[in-house]
Amino acid sequence: MKVGNHLAGPYKEPAASHHRFAIGVGSSSDVIVTASLLAGLVSVAVGTELAVVQSAAGELERATAVALGGGTALYLLALTAIHATTGHTGTGVGDRVLWLRLGSAAVALAIGAFGRLGAPLGLVGLLAVLLVAHVAAEMVLQLRAAGDAAPDVAPASGPPPCPDPMTTAS
C-alpha cells in the first residue's frame, strides 16, 4: 500500500491507468476536471489579492467574496471528481473522504455567498479555519485507515523463545 499519493490518500493503490489526471491529458472529462482544479486555485489567488486591496475599505465586494469561497469550493469539487473517478470510492474511508470534500465545498460556497456581510479578515479567517479543519479531518481518516490495514510484513517465524531460567522449576 502506497502512502505518498496526495490526491487519493493511502486507502487503495490505483491502477496505473488512473494516473492520467497528474498531467491533465486524456479524455475531455479529464481536461475539464483539471481545468476546474486550476480555475479554483486561480480564483482563490485573485480573490486573495482583491481582499488585500479592499481591506482598507473594511468590506469586500461581492465578486471578491464569491471568488474566495467559490474558488475554494471549485477546487474541492475538482478534487472530489478526481477522487471519485480514480477508483477510491466503495471503500469505507474513500467514501468518507469523498463526502468530507463535498461538505467542505458546500461550506466554502456558503462562506463565499454570505462573506460580503463581514470584514475581509473574517471571510479569509473562516475559509482558513474550514481548510485547516478539513485537512485535519482527512488526515485522521487516512491515519485510521492506515492503522486498520493489514501489515505489509508477515509475522516473524523461527524457533520458539527460550524459557526463562528464573521461572522454570527445577
Side-chain angles (χ1 to χ4, degrees):
M1 176 185 313
K2 231 180 190 177
V3 179
N5 187 345
H6 71 282
L7 291 178
Y11 352 102
K12 179 178 158 188
E13 180 66 29
S17 65
H18 294 309
H19 292 286
R20 65 182 185 249
F21 283 104
I23 56 173
V25 295
S27 70
S28 60
S29 64
D30 295 350
V31 174
I32 290 169
V33 169
T34 303
S36 298
L37 188 73
L38 292 174
L41 289 172
V42 169
S43 179
V44 170
V46 169
T48 302
E49 178 64 27
L50 290 173
V52 169
V53 170
Q54 295 169 11
S55 64
E59 187 175 319
L60 294 179
E61 294 178 9
R62 167 95 37 213
T64 302
V66 170
L68 286 165
T72 303
L74 184 59
Y75 173 78
L76 288 169
L77 289 173
L79 279 181
T80 303
I82 291 170
H83 178 95
T85 58
T86 55
H88 290 87
T89 57
T91 64
V93 73
D95 289 342
R96 287 188 293 254
V97 169
L98 185 130
W99 285 109
L100 175 66
R101 289 180 182 164
L102 285 174
S104 294
V107 172
L109 196 58
I111 290 171
F114 300 109
R116 188 169 180 261
L117 303 175
L121 187 58
L123 177 103
V124 174
L126 281 173
L127 286 171
V129 167
L130 169 69
L131 292 175
V132 167
H134 175 88
V135 168
E138 198 165 319
M139 284 176 57
V140 166
L141 288 173
Q142 291 177 5
L143 289 173
R144 283 185 185 163
D148 292 343
D152 291 340
V153 179
S157 61
C162 295
D164 185 8
M166 300 303 281
T167 59
T168 317
S170 31

